Structures are given as structure tokens and as C-alpha cells.
Amino acid sequence: MMIMKRLLFLVSVCSLCMVGNSQNYQPEKHAVVKSDRGDGRLLSTYAIVHEMLKDTHPQYAYRSGMSAQDFTQWQDGVRAAMVEIMKFPEIKGQPSPVCVKTEKKEGYILEKWEFYPFPKSVSTFLVLKPEHLKGAVPGVLCIPGSGRTKEGLAGEPGICDKLTEDYNNPKVSMALNMVKEGYVAVAVDNAAAGEASDLECYDKGWNYDYDVVSRFLLELGWSWLGYTSYLDMQVLNWMKDQSYIRKDRIVISGFSLGTEPMMVLGVLDKDIYAFVYNDFLCQTQERAVVMTKPDKENRRPFPNSIRHLIPGYWRYFNFPDVVASLAPRPIIFTEGGLDRDFRLVQSAYTASGKPENAEFHHYPKFADKAVRKDVEHLDEGLDSKTYFETVNVDPPSHYFKNELVIPWLRKVLFRTHVKVGSGILIGCDFLYNMSSLFFI
């Protein structure tokens, strides 16, 4: 009996201590990571690793003022680093892609293709071709965002009810919009999504479980981005072999998550002509550094899920550095970010001699410079909501911006140079809407 009383007393004391600690805890005071020691040393492992991250300076961060030779060498360095961290395997002897289904639509042909990237594996993509092709036309590789599918991009129902999107909405149907312009559109799934998902048709639907696949790949020394980009590269190489696609006018169009493999392909393949970056542009390392405010569960946030993790990425570059390395090839940004990062990219395009090849747009909410935040440095202590507000992001307006992309493509895809009698080259923009050929 005496032992029980002592136990109850200890439990009561511990409970009071816990309540006291809970009442004294104020999340706001811990929003910024700092030492409470006189010598400034850090005890928390989070704080120590956070400091390591702050002290990491990417090797291939873009520097304005580079000479032409230095600029080219820097691009080569970015490319070599991307090859290293993407870890594409060398797999030979696989069968060639096969068309498994053809369906006539209004003004275009829809094809479903299989390809075989690994032994014992099959992957699929959709091809939308204008019905009355006469010669080769530009091709657009369309890469969806998180939770999206190639079927949605093509304006088609999903492979099951739970994976069916708002596919009649032009804010979703990127590939269908492209074929209506007279381009060949090729739509892919991201790894672990759509037809490449596992059990989602039975329960979760579009809430795909990317994390388990990403964990497996990381344990194997690879990454989700390396895997999905490798598959997209196989499709890109297939596009180059098609006689009806202009090899000199292939565009990679990425929405949201799809901008990441878009950047990888752009760095690795110099033949890609132009890029659509349909997301906000940010310094991903900085995003991790400044988002330190604990959430309601008293956990400090990490800005992205495990599928975005690529070992070694921040040792080499951040997103603005990568897209800057695509200069001078045409690129459009449709959903803003900080003007600071746009200025970095514009500097690279100016250094490449083609400042006009980079076009920048902000969310409509932040289109007016007077309402945008324009800062060079972000302070720590942010959560997800305050971070988005600080970098001019309007999440409810996150969709594929046809109203910006389609006119831009009409302009850049038919830009040529004509030689006049004196031998001077003059740039000419042919605003030629090919849709008039196929959709009358």
C-alpha cells in the first residue's frame, strides 16, 4: 500500500511538471533557432544541422559578371554535377516503344504508347497528334504536377474513377491545349502517380503515396527525381526519333512538381529548344533555412516531402541557378516568386546575349510591383503560410497558365532569322497560329 501511494505521488508530481512546462512553452519564442548559451554554441541536433545548412554554399551558384568563357565553363559544371546526382543507369537491350492504342478524336489522334525502361518494367505515355499533319511540327513534352496524371493533361478520364481529374478544364488539360495549337503533345505520368501508382485506385485516389517509393530509391542510392527524370528522358529521346516532330522545336512544359524533371532534362539535353516553368521560382535551400517556426504539433517544418530530396543537390546549386544555366534557350515563368531570383535568371540570359529569351510573370495577385515584396534576404522564423506570402505566392491561383503559355509559344516557336542582301541577320517573329490548319 505504501509503495502504491509513493507511485501515485510521483505520477502527480510528473504531471504537474508537464503541465507547468506546457504552460510555459511559447512557440513564438522558438520561431528562430538560437543558442541560449553564453558562448553561442548549439546543443540541439536540429540547430546544429540547421547551422550546417546555412553555411553550405553551392559550388555552381550563378555569379553575375562572368566572361563568356567562364559562363560556358559554369554551364558545363552544372551539367556535370546534374549527371552525377541524377545517377541515370545505363540499361541496354530493352524493346523499342510500342503503340498499343489509337483513337480518333475531334481534330486530332490520341495514341497510347508503352516503353520499357528497366527489365521486368513497363511505363506508358500518351501522344496527341493533329489529325492532318503535313510535315513535322513542334513537339511539347507535358509533365504534370503532384496529384495530376497524363490522362488529365490529355483531357481524358483517369484510369479509374478515383484518379479522374477535372479533365475538361483547360487549367488542367495542358497536352490537349497544345494539340489544339497544332503541336504534337506528349503526356507522361510522374513516378508513383497515375497509371504508375500502386493501390490508389482502391482508396486514396489522387493522394499518391510518393514517400514509400522515394524512401526505397534513397536507400538504393537514387532519388525520386532521378528516377522520374530518367523515364522522361526515354520519352524525350523517342520524340526525337519521330519524323512528324521537329527536332529543333521540342519544348518541355512542366507544371508544379513537373518543373523539377523539366529542369533536369533541360540541363542534360542541349537539344531542347524551350521551357515552360509553371510554378513559382525559389531558392529551395533558403526555403529550408527560413521555415523554422514550430507548427501546431510543436514540430519545425520541412518545406517539401521526401520525393523532393536529392542527395548532394544543395552542394551544387539551387533552382534559380539551374534555370539560369538553360540560357540562352527560351523560357517562360508563369507564377512569380521573388524579383531577386528573376533578376538572377535575367542576368544569365543577358550574359548569354539573349535577354529577350526569358519572360517573367507573377501571380495576378502580385502582378502590380507596388504590392509585391522585393527583398534580397529572407529572415528565419517563417511557417508555410508566411513563407508563401513573403515570396509572392498565391496558392489558390496555382494552375497551368494557358493564357500566358499559348501566346508565348506562338511567338518563340516560329521565331526565325532571315538573311537579307547585306548579309545582316534580322530576327523575325511569325505569330502563326497553327490551330487554324487543324481546327476549322
Side-chain angles (χ1 to χ4, degrees), residues 174 195 277 350 417:
M174 183 201 310
E195 203 167 16
Y277 192 108
T350 299
H417 291 88

Side-chain angles (χ1 to χ4, degrees), residues 66-293:
M66 285 189 277
S67 67
Q69 181 179 0
D70 288 343
F71 186 82
T72 300
Q73 290 177 346
W74 168 75
Q75 287 179 308
D76 291 341
V78 171
R79 186 170 296 109
M82 191 68 79
V83 168
E84 175 191 331
I85 63 177
M86 287 299 110
K87 300 182 183 297
F88 283 7
E90 292 187 14
I91 297 176
K92 299 179 180 180
Q94 291 299 106
S96 298
V98 175
C99 181
V100 296
K101 184 179 179 182
T102 301
E103 186 176 354
K104 188 178 183 303
K105 298 286 186 174
E106 184 178 353
Y108 66 98
I109 305 296
L110 175 64
E111 297 176 345
K112 182 174 183 177
W113 285 72
E114 288 186 352
F115 68 111
Y116 314 97
F118 310 101
K120 300 183 180 180
S121 78
V122 60
S123 295
T124 56
F125 59 91
L126 299 177
V127 181
L128 292 76
K129 299 191 297 188
E131 186 175 11
H132 302 296
L133 275 177
K134 295 180 180 178
V137 299
V140 184
L141 176 56
C142 303
I143 309 178
S146 180
R148 300 295 189 180
T149 67
K150 65 183 184 300
E151 286 78 22
L153 296 181
E156 296 289 317
I159 61 168
C160 63
D161 289 343
K162 287 187 177 293
L163 301 189
T164 294
E165 306 166 56
D166 184 13
Y167 59 90
N168 289 318
N169 188 340
K171 295 179 179 180
V172 173
S173 57
M174 183 201 310
L176 179 59
N177 303 336
M178 298 299 178
V179 77
K180 286 182 176 180
E181 284 294 302
Y183 315 135
V184 173
V186 178
V188 296
D189 282 317
N190 285 317
E195 203 167 16
S197 63
D198 186 24
L199 304 175
E200 281 80 356
C201 271
Y202 300 105
D203 185 17
K204 292 183 180 179
W206 59 267
N207 186 23
Y208 299 109
D209 188 352
Y210 300 97
D211 289 355
V212 172
V213 167
S214 301
R215 173 65 184 267
F216 285 169
L217 288 165
L218 288 167
E219 295 281 11
L220 291 169
W222 209 3
S223 65
W224 181 91
L225 182 56
Y227 178 98
T228 203
S229 299
Y230 175 73
L231 266 61
D232 291 345
M233 184 66 85
Q234 312 311 303
V235 178
L236 174 62
N237 289 335
W238 174 88
M239 292 175 68
K240 291 181 179 183
D241 288 337
Q242 306 312 302
S243 61
Y244 50 84
I245 295 177
R246 284 185 61 176
K247 313 300 183 293
D248 63 342
R249 288 297 185 274
I250 291 178
V251 179
I252 310 293
S253 179
F255 171 67
S256 196
L257 178 62
T259 59
E260 295 185 26
M262 180 217 78
M263 286 187 281
V264 173
L265 297 186
V267 169
L268 298 183
D269 192 324
K270 297 180 182 180
D271 293 334
I272 299 167
Y273 178 73
F275 307 92
V276 174
Y277 192 108
N278 201 129
D279 199 357
F280 79 102
L281 181 64
C282 74
Q283 295 272 359
T284 52
Q285 178 186 1
E286 176 187 60
R287 186 176 177 184
V289 166
V290 302
M291 288 180 60
T292 54
K293 184 178 180 180

Side-chain angles (χ1 to χ4, degrees), residues 171-438:
K171 295 179 179 180
V172 173
S173 57
M174 183 201 310
L176 179 59
N177 303 336
M178 298 299 178
V179 77
K180 286 182 176 180
E181 284 294 302
Y183 315 135
V184 173
V186 178
V188 296
D189 282 317
N190 285 317
E195 203 167 16
S197 63
D198 186 24
L199 304 175
E200 281 80 356
C201 271
Y202 300 105
D203 185 17
K204 292 183 180 179
W206 59 267
N207 186 23
Y208 299 109
D209 188 352
Y210 300 97
D211 289 355
V212 172
V213 167
S214 301
R215 173 65 184 267
F216 285 169
L217 288 165
L218 288 167
E219 295 281 11
L220 291 169
W222 209 3
S223 65
W224 181 91
L225 182 56
Y227 178 98
T228 203
S229 299
Y230 175 73
L231 266 61
D232 291 345
M233 184 66 85
Q234 312 311 303
V235 178
L236 174 62
N237 289 335
W238 174 88
M239 292 175 68
K240 291 181 179 183
D241 288 337
Q242 306 312 302
S243 61
Y244 50 84
I245 295 177
R246 284 185 61 176
K247 313 300 183 293
D248 63 342
R249 288 297 185 274
I250 291 178
V251 179
I252 310 293
S253 179
F255 171 67
S256 196
L257 178 62
T259 59
E260 295 185 26
M262 180 217 78
M263 286 187 281
V264 173
L265 297 186
V267 169
L268 298 183
D269 192 324
K270 297 180 182 180
D271 293 334
I272 299 167
Y273 178 73
F275 307 92
V276 174
Y277 192 108
N278 201 129
D279 199 357
F280 79 102
L281 181 64
C282 74
Q283 295 272 359
T284 52
Q285 178 186 1
E286 176 187 60
R287 186 176 177 184
V289 166
V290 302
M291 288 180 60
T292 54
K293 184 178 180 180
D295 61 20
K296 62 183 179 181
E297 296 176 352
N298 196 28
R299 296 177 67 93
R300 298 193 194 274
F302 192 80
N304 273 317
S305 72
I306 197 171
R307 69 178 178 270
H308 298 272
L309 303 187
I310 308 99
Y313 201 95
W314 288 334
R315 289 192 298 113
Y316 289 125
F317 31 59
N318 275 283
F319 284 4
D321 306 312
V322 175
V323 292
S325 78
L326 303 179
R329 292 174 287 174
I331 188 167
I332 183 173
F333 299 88
T334 65
E335 292 187 337
L338 286 174
D339 288 299
R340 171 201 68 184
D341 297 329
F342 281 172
R343 285 191 289 268
L344 183 150
V345 176
Q346 185 66 76
S347 173
Y349 272 75
T350 299
S352 75
K354 291 289 183 181
E356 71 278 9
N357 278 3
E359 185 166 310
F360 307 95
H361 298 272
H362 285 273
Y363 279 100
K365 181 178 178 179
F366 299 104
D368 184 350
K369 187 173 176 59
V371 303
R372 283 202 305 275
K373 294 179 178 64
D374 187 359
V375 297
E376 292 295 325
H377 173 76
L378 299 183
D379 293 326
E380 296 172 34
L382 304 180
D383 57 16
S384 181
K385 182 175 183 294
T386 52
Y387 174 79
F388 283 142
E389 291 171 351
T390 304
V391 297
N392 306 312
V393 172
D394 183 20
S397 293
H398 181 46
Y399 63 85
F400 188 72
K401 301 292 191 296
N402 290 288
E403 64 272 22
L404 301 175
V405 174
I406 295 302
W408 180 79
L409 284 175
R410 291 173 188 165
K411 178 174 63 175
V412 302
L413 283 174
F414 301 98
R415 178 183 295 155
T416 62
H417 291 88
V418 246
K419 185 177 290 186
V420 292
S422 64
I424 300 172
L425 294 178
I426 299 178
C428 297
D429 289 339
F430 294 95
L431 305 186
Y432 175 30
N433 183 0
M434 293 185 66
S435 63
S436 62
L437 289 177
F438 309 111

Side-chain angles (χ1 to χ4, degrees), residues 51-63:
E51 195 68 21
M52 291 179 183
L53 181 58
K54 290 167 64 175
D55 288 340
T56 297
H57 303 287
Q59 181 177 350
Y60 294 110
Y62 173 75
R63 295 178 293 104

